[in-house]
Amino acid sequence: MDENSPVFAIAVAAELAEMHPQTLRQYDRLGLVVPGRTRGGSRRYSMRDIAQLREIARLGSEGVSLEGIRRVLDLENDNRALRERVRELETALADQLINRPGARVFAATTTGAAVSLRAGARPQRNTQIVLWRPPH
């Protein structure tokens, strides 16, 4: 079970969030905290939902309007999703670096361009002789 698992019925969630169940229903209708649903349509709240309900209560007690709270929650959710995506990409990059060491090998051509080489391949050597004569 993780923090996103919807396991708490509305009565338990309301008790954990120190709110009335009707308040949770109202927040669901407004889209502030949308719980999961069972097949029968009953609301199920996760620990993350409970934390958001507590954050709503804290912001409300500081005088933030419901629209302001919605914006704060949206930004926090976006931030959380972006952090998760960064972690996924960092993990994928680390896996690539571990599983494919030296897969990206480059060499420079005589003109200075970079060319990609297969792992283990050597660049072609240029054995031409170039004569240079200074201008008179």
Side-chain angles (χ1 to χ4, degrees), residues 49-110:
D49 293 333
I50 304 298
Q52 280 192 324
L53 289 166
R54 289 178 180 167
E55 180 71 1
I56 290 170
R58 186 187 68 76
L59 291 169
S61 71
E62 292 177 1
V64 180
S65 69
L66 286 179
E67 184 56 33
I69 290 171
R70 178 192 322 279
R71 290 182 184 187
V72 168
L73 292 178
D74 286 345
L75 289 171
E76 287 178 350
N77 290 335
D78 289 347
N79 189 331
R80 181 178 291 108
L82 290 170
R83 287 178 188 266
E84 287 174 14
R85 183 66 178 140
V86 167
R87 272 193 298 274
E88 289 170 9
L89 291 172
E90 286 174 338
T91 300
L93 177 61
D95 290 344
Q96 285 293 318
L97 292 174
I98 289 170
N99 295 327
R100 294 180 40 188
R104 301 286 291 173
V105 178
F106 297 93
T109 66
T110 55

Side-chain angles (χ1 to χ4, degrees), residues 24-42:
L24 274 63
R25 290 183 189 94
Q26 178 72 14
Y27 290 163
D28 184 11
R29 279 192 294 277
L30 295 172
L32 290 175
V33 176
V34 180
R37 299 280 184 159
T38 64
R39 287 189 179 136
S42 299

Side-chain angles (χ1 to χ4, degrees), residues 100-109 113-125:
R100 294 180 40 188
R104 301 286 291 173
V105 178
F106 297 93
T109 66
V115 292
S116 182
L117 299 174
R118 291 186 334 269
R122 292 178 166 254
Q124 269 189 332
R125 286 197 156 170

Side-chain angles (χ1 to χ4, degrees), residues 110 123-131:
T110 55
Q124 269 189 332
R125 286 197 156 170
N126 191 342
T127 58
Q128 298 174 340
I129 297 176
V130 177
L131 296 178

Side-chain angles (χ1 to χ4, degrees), residues 1 5 7-21 24 45-55 57:
M1 184 173 105
S5 297
V7 294
F8 301 109
I10 192 166
V12 175
E15 187 175 326
L16 291 171
E18 299 177 356
M19 296 179 170
H20 193 277
L24 274 63
Y45 291 84
S46 67
M47 282 307 296
R48 186 165 170 267
D49 293 333
I50 304 298
Q52 280 192 324
L53 289 166
R54 289 178 180 167
E55 180 71 1

